[in-house]
DNA sequence: GTCTATAGAGTGATAGAC
DNA sequence: GTCTATCACTCTATAGAC
């Protein structure tokens, strides 16, 4: 890494800007010209780094996954893992761009021909499975309330996080972390 | 009502088609030409009935609210009202167009300059208040589990319905009604 | 690496004939 | 009521200069 230093910085700047604008306006709504202009570039300048708009979207999603994985830190289990997610929801309330990105794109990508459709289908099945596993661990520890099915609880948790994000985007006084925490408490013994 | 019969039928046809296409592709993604073509019209023909695209969207949302109000039938309370919503979720699974409409638009309308922004801000505050009232009624009947706050429960319920719709749109094997029902049971004594 | 210029297609909306 | 034709604009992407 020597002469490619400047190029990498531009690439990173583009990705951060695209993340914000895909969130604000959706993939269809944010144009390459708008994104490029916010980076102090023209749109062909941007396309030198990402050959097509779909490539840019893919890089944005990949980058976000990488950041998430790194931020998650050491692997956690059971209740600790869910408490960590409540904390993440609280911190997300300070990064509106990222919340918008996923709320907007996951709905938009519902259309089978959307460039991020496969990404979101895969992501949801993975996340639901993961959260359900945490509830199963809680159950194994004897700390899950009676009559609660870990698979249902996992799916509910993911739906709750998504739905709360939409409500928070429409009205920022919505208490995402508090509502999520209340739900968690009601599931435990 | 005599000579305006044919005009009303065309209007209704346009609204049904626009509902489906705004759902499939979002407000931005569905063009007036596409909607008009599916109605056997040209796009100026459509614009005779709805002067602008935003007017068409407003009429679509208004029509859906009217249909909902009528379908709701006699006003219900407490647990019965929530059970009725579980049933509605089950029936919605047979009308993908309507589910898509609200999932797609509520995320898209998160942007403050979206033509349906005010509609959704208002709708959510109204619906959350209404569902919270049902939980308060359940509490008054002594049937709400201890430590559950009706206001939290109402917000959670709405978030759950929205989040489950996105999951169902990405994977139709998702059991919306069952997951919702499991949640309801876990809230009751 | 970034630019100007442009191709080629699509958009919402309007004018005016029938 | 519905059409054809068109305006003015935007979009993604490419060609080629620097």
């Amino acid at each position: 890494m020597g002469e490619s230093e400047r190029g990498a910085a531009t690439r990173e700047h583009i990705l951060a800007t695209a993340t914000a604008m895909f969130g604000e306006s959706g993939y269809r709504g944010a144009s390459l010209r708008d994104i490029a202009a916010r980076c102090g570039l023209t749109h062909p300048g941007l396309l030198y780094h990402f050959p097509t708009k779909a490539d840019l979207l893919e890089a944005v999603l990949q980058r976000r996954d990488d950041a998430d994985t790194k931020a998650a830190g050491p692997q956690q289990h059971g209740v600790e893992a869910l408490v960590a997610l409540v904390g993440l929801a609280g911190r997300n309330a300070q990064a509106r761009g990222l919340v918008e990105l996923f709320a907007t794109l996951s709905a938009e990508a519902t259309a089978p021909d959307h460039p991020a459709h496969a990404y979101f289908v895969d992501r949801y099945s993975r996340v639901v499975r993961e959260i359900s596993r945490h509830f199963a661990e809680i159950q194994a520890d004897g700390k899950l309330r009676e009559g609660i099915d870990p698979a249902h609880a996992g799916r509910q948790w993911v739906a709750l996080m998504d739905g709360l994000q939409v409500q928070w985007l429409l009205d920022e006084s919505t208490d995402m972390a508090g509502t999520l925490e209340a739900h968690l408490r009601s599931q435990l013994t």
Side-chain angles (χ1 to χ4, degrees), chain A residues 47-120:
Chain A
L47 285 170
Y48 168 82
H49 297 277
F50 303 94
T52 73
K53 194 184 183 185
D55 287 337
L56 173 59
L57 174 60
E58 200 185 315
V60 162
L61 294 172
Q62 183 58 58
R63 171 170 168 277
R64 216 266 152 128
D65 277 355
D66 291 350
D68 270 8
T69 307
K70 213 165 74 182
Q75 193 99 344
Q76 287 173 311
H77 298 282
V79 179
E80 285 82 34
L82 299 182
V83 169
L85 283 177
V86 173
L88 183 63
R91 270 173 282 126
N92 273 352
Q94 278 153 296
R96 183 170 170 110
L98 287 184
V99 175
E100 281 175 328
L101 181 71
F102 275 72
T104 305
L105 285 187
S106 62
E108 200 181 11
T110 264
D113 61 334
H114 193 282
H117 182 75
Y119 171 88
F120 277 98

Side-chain angles (χ1 to χ4, degrees), chain A residues 144-145 148 179-189:
Chain A
L144 193 65
R145 270 242 332 294
I148 291 185
T179 308
L180 207 49
E181 199 194 354
H183 174 76
L184 178 57
R185 264 201 315 272
S186 84
Q187 305 278 73
L188 303 180
T189 54

Side-chain angles (χ1 to χ4, degrees), chain A residues 10-11 13-15 17-18 21-22 31-53 55-57:
Chain A
T10 303
R11 228 185 108 95
H13 188 192
I14 292 170
L15 286 173
T17 307
M21 299 199 65
F22 283 154
S31 77
L32 292 177
R33 277 177 175 79
D34 291 347
I35 297 169
R38 269 215 221 170
C39 297
L41 283 178
T42 58
H43 80 279
L46 188 157
L47 285 170
Y48 168 82
H49 297 277
F50 303 94
T52 73
K53 194 184 183 185
D55 287 337
L56 173 59
L57 174 60

